[in-house]
Amino acid sequence: MTHDKPIQRAALPIPDLAYTGTVTYDATDPDTHFPPIRDVEPPEGAPNVLVILIDDCGFGASSTFGGPIDTPNFDRIAAAGLKYTRFHTTAICSPTRAALLSGRNHHTVGMGGITEIATSAPGYSSVRPNNCAPLAETLKLNGYNTAQFGKCHEVPVWQTSPVGPFNQWPSPGGGFEYFYGFIGGETNQWYPAIYDGITPVEPWGTPEEGYHFMGDMTDKAIAWTRQQKALAPNRPFFTYFAPGATHAPHHVPAEWADKYKGKFDQGWDALREETFARQKALGVVPEGATLTTRSEGIPAWDEMSDELKPVLARQMEVYAGFLAYTDHHVGRLLDAYEALGILDDTLVYAIIGDNGASAEGTMRGTTNEYFLLNHAEALETEQFLIDHKDDLGTPQSYNHYAIGWAHAMDTPYQWTKQVASHWGGTRNGTVVSWPNGIAARGEIRNQFAHCIDVAPTVLEAAGIPEPSTVNGVTQRPYEGTSMLYSFNDADAPEQHETQYFEMLGNRAIYHKGWTAVAKHKFPWLASDHGLDDDVWELYNVEEDWTQAHDLAAEHPDRLAHLQRLFLVQAARFNVLPMDIRSAERFNDDLAGRPTLIKGTTQMLYPGMKRLSEGSAINIKNKSYTVTAQLTVPEAGVDGVIVVQGGAFGGWSVYTVGSVLKFAYNVLGVTLYTITADEPLSAGDHEIRAHFAYDGGGLGKGGTVTLFSDDAEIGSGRVENTVPLVFSLDETVDVGLDSASPVSTDYEATGNGFTGQIAWVRIDIGDDDHSHLESDDHRFQVAMIRQ
């Protein structure tokens, strides 16, 4: 009698065992016998896993945690399981995601900041060490199917081009067998920059045809799940569902925003009071808790002008619609699970925010955040905001709400996203359900938890040990604590007793019911002093739930003990040296990270597209020439030759009726178009568009001259230019303009070049004013986008 040996899962991949039985000469010999082929399978009873991570959503936003925005599907998850009231993130995007998916602290896996400000220091490199295999890889090597949908902001910026390397992309390097989503901090929800695996793809339609990325990614997640269960019904899956919502731009169908008309006219101060009362009624904050005062630097609602208040209210209506719309699509996914009969056997985590609400939209909000990224806020006057109120949330905007709303969305806590020192930056409401594994229904859990706890929880629920080696590399142990102990015991003693926080110098330590915290900088300003000048605060958070009463003066010894503990943890987990620089970290050379594009020339070829700004030569604030070798058919030619950016900033070389044109879009406000005097004739041509920069600083104008085969065919002026950032999501494309169009001369679709393009070349310089002024990174953007 033979017995199957237990599978040893500590070393991954699980080693193949050699056959040691009898080998016959002839397969027809009756002694011929081999065991059947078996795929690796997870332990019996391992559940499906769905992890939902919402973007830039504060504790006080969703109705599930007392907020003003209806989230019936988050409520649905909570009713089937648990609400965690003391679940924490890292205060910013990339670090939370890297920690969540690895089970280790964000500095341990090299993600001490967003990828765009990575440095060569181990805790800040944005490169995940190979001794920290992600959860998805561990599950896949134990027989799970794995898929990710939505946002991925963990790929090092120099690895985001079509040539990779792809070892930190979700698929193949991140352990996910399938990926459908976008790479980077944000995307235009109406015109997203989507990848299917590592292949760039275009949306199925336009906004006018009903397209929105939130619905699209949900459709893909539902289709993938149906196929997976149709073909492998007994194999569990791990799905990571990470919308770009509710990160700016706040894009949402108007009917969803309109549901909240008039509901925020009272302003952000009154809204905090209303939310706090609901939170106490729900029991997600204790009855005796204190509502913290408005954080320093944030204006009172009554300080805002009466003329602007309707615009501000509309900003919040749009944001509310965006979150409600997101919750609706989460509900569609849950409905699909229920229809497949798998919802009860799925461990669902819904983490409502990867950090606190975002205070990156200025005191008045914005219709286009590229004003902020290019330090061009002066263009967006109060009257401009009033005139463009109805654009908010539509394809005509790239909007963000005012800082006062962000603070209200973090009720009852101090501060916002980026501020890792206080709960407003790090505490996010989280709901968990698993009907077949959690007996509780609709209960609250108050044990301290952190995003690094999710991975060990999933492994314990699945009966899978934490691996000691993966792909031959000895693994660093998980740094999180499984939350499974609290699933069926509301009174279980807290097991995650110590946790550090650090982001951009804002830092804190939690230890056994106390927090010592130091806010270093405001979210909307760069650092202006040294770390040693920071003032530390002390809170007894077992009694003072919201960090409202600073006890530093009363307990100096305890504060000193916690400050030392922070330093111990910081040394242990790669936090040191803390890096409070901002502009300097956008300079590749100063930061010590690789640069993909070097030199003063870049060649492009037909079919090349989705090249991010980091994958393209920098033409801003300098002279440059765009040259292309074309073949014009006898019937004439239309379409885009080469483009960078989109409707909120960029440039394009294209033809209309065989007439060569150059368009320069300045932040969606001014569109300059230079048109050739006569059409191109049929045949081969080398066309050029030369931009002679005026010089004299950043964002200045220049003269554009168009050539065909060395003959000048047109010229004109561009009076001002984009100084720092064209787009975080729109790209360089050859032969078409994907996503939103730079020029109003052509549509968002069907703008492909109808002739033939042999090549395109971009050359920097060859002009008296080509001294690369934008390479002085003292002027680089210091506003951090996550």
Side-chain angles (χ1 to χ4, degrees), residues 14 23 42 46 193 253 286 296 422 445 470 509 531 546 651 670 721 731 781:
I14 297 169
V23 177
E296 180 186 356
H422 291 76
R445 296 290 183 267
V470 176
I509 185 78
L531 290 164
T546 60
W651 57 272
T670 306
T721 57
T731 54
V781 60

Side-chain angles (χ1 to χ4, degrees), residues 483-520:
M483 298 165 62
L484 208 70
Y485 75 94
S486 65
F487 279 4
N488 288 310
D489 187 354
D491 300 319
E494 197 169 89
Q495 294 188 12
H496 193 142
E497 294 184 325
T498 305
Q499 179 62 47
Y500 83 89
F501 298 86
E502 192 280 333
M503 190 58 57
L504 305 169
N506 299 316
R507 57 204 187 275
I509 185 78
Y510 169 82
H511 181 63
K512 295 184 177 180
W514 288 78
T515 59
V517 310
K519 182 188 76 67
H520 175 73

Side-chain angles (χ1 to χ4, degrees), residues 9 39-49 142-145 225-238 340-342 345 462:
R9 301 176 185 269
D39 289 331
V40 172
E41 296 178 352
E44 187 175 351
N48 305 303
V49 179
N142 275 279
Y144 270 74
N145 283 136
T225 307
R226 287 171 174 165
Q227 175 174 272
Q228 194 271 340
K229 286 305 171 192
L231 298 176
N234 297 320
R235 184 183 306 157
F237 61 76
F238 170 45
L340 290 167
I342 61 173
D345 197 31

Side-chain angles (χ1 to χ4, degrees), residues 634-649:
E634 291 290 341
V637 70
D638 290 285
V640 173
I641 299 167
V642 62
V643 65
Q644 180 174 23
F648 301 100

